[in-house]
Amino acid sequence: IREQFAKLPLARERGYKPGTFSFNSGTGRCPTCGGNGFEHVEMQFLSDVYLRCGDCNGRRYRAVTLEVMLRGADGREASIADVLEMTITEALQFFGDLPELQARLAPLAEVGLDYLKLGQPVPTLSGGEAQRLKLAGHLADTSAKPTLFLFDEPTTGLHFDDIAKLLRAFRRLLDGGHSLLVIEHNLDVIRAAEWIVDLGPEGGDAGGQIIAEGTPDALRRHGASHT
């Protein structure tokens, strides 16, 4: 995305490089907040306070950097700060004429993360979202060698429709020659497994034993398995 901005006539006229449009480094970011969009105020007896930067108004960049506007496939014009505020769904529409960006963004929608903003800080993601973010990265990398993926309850907090998207993403990994080991309680995910190791009989101190293992059909016929 930064490379697209650096190609624009105004950016080239001013000598802007892709790094100019990074809020992590470079001369294009706001010098007051260091590209964070907020200022950290340490409090002695209370929780620290994060205040929106008064110079950039939380937009992370210098005003001159935001003068460079990119026209999207949907006809809108946006600065780099505007792009970072877009959700994945909005970005797919905006960059609809750029196949290389579509290939990077589409896997995020495929794993049910289409509501996230491009500039959303990673620490704000839940555990399930972080796992699916990594999954999307692997889906975008078609040259990866066969890998064993381990997931710890990736469906946490997901809607039924999003679980279906996640299962489609899992199948894409399997079709690519990868293997998946998933810790999960969701019955739709369990039903889609090739092999199940059922631990129990209960949770916590009352669990930890292998109650049954086999295919979903085999577990259906197992009398001692809650699954």
Side-chain angles (χ1 to χ4, degrees):
I1 290 173
R2 295 195 298 267
E3 291 174 357
Q4 296 302 317
F5 275 93
K7 293 177 183 178
L8 295 173
L10 181 58
R12 295 174 68 180
E13 178 184 323
R14 295 179 176 180
Y16 291 171
K17 304 297 182 184
T20 306
F21 300 95
S22 170
F23 57 78
N24 290 317
S25 61
T27 58
R29 64 179 180 174
C30 172
T32 303
C33 64
N36 290 318
F38 59 84
E39 295 184 76
H40 178 203
V41 181
E42 293 187 8
M43 306 293 284
Q44 188 169 1
F45 300 109
L46 301 172
S47 299
D48 291 353
V49 175
Y50 296 88
L51 301 176
R52 178 177 292 183
C53 176
D55 284 353
C56 69
N57 195 29
R59 290 171 66 79
R60 297 180 170 182
Y61 294 91
R62 296 176 183 267
V64 291
T65 309
L66 300 182
E67 291 174 359
V68 181
M69 304 289 284
L70 177 67
R71 181 178 292 276
D74 56 3
R76 288 187 295 165
E77 285 193 339
S79 67
I80 183 65
D82 296 328
V83 169
L84 291 178
E85 283 297 309
M86 292 180 184
T87 64
I88 302 301
T89 300
E90 293 170 335
L92 282 167
Q93 297 171 349
F94 187 80
F95 295 111
D97 56 350
L98 296 173
E100 65 273 23
L101 283 177
Q102 291 282 310
R104 291 288 184 177
L105 294 171
L108 291 165
E110 291 175 16
V111 298
L113 295 177
D114 47 339
Y115 58 89
L116 292 184
K117 293 182 179 180
L118 288 185
Q120 185 160 336
V122 171
T124 65
L125 302 179
S126 69
E129 288 172 335
Q131 289 187 78
R132 284 180 278 133
L133 181 63
K134 291 182 179 180
L135 170 59
H138 286 285
L139 289 176
D141 183 7
T142 56
S143 62
K145 296 180 180 179
T147 304
L148 172 63
F149 291 89
L150 287 81
F151 293 94
D152 185 4
E153 300 197 52
T155 64
T156 301
L158 286 185
H159 186 272
F160 295 121
D161 290 341
D162 291 327
I163 292 175
K165 292 179 182 177
L166 180 65
L167 288 175
R168 286 195 291 270
F170 280 172
R171 292 190 186 99
R172 280 189 56 190
L173 285 178
L174 293 172
D175 292 341
H178 304 294
S179 300
L180 279 69
L181 177 61
V182 185
I183 302 169
E184 190 56 78
H185 294 89
N186 180 276
L187 292 177
D188 290 326
V189 177
I190 294 173
R191 186 183 297 114
E194 294 178 352
W195 191 265
I196 301 169
V197 178
D198 192 10
L199 297 175
E202 305 296 338
D205 294 337
Q209 301 178 44
I210 296 179
I211 303 303
E213 57 179 309
T215 63
D217 284 337
L219 257 73
R220 287 192 187 98
R221 297 191 296 269
H222 197 287
S225 171
H226 292 331
T227 302

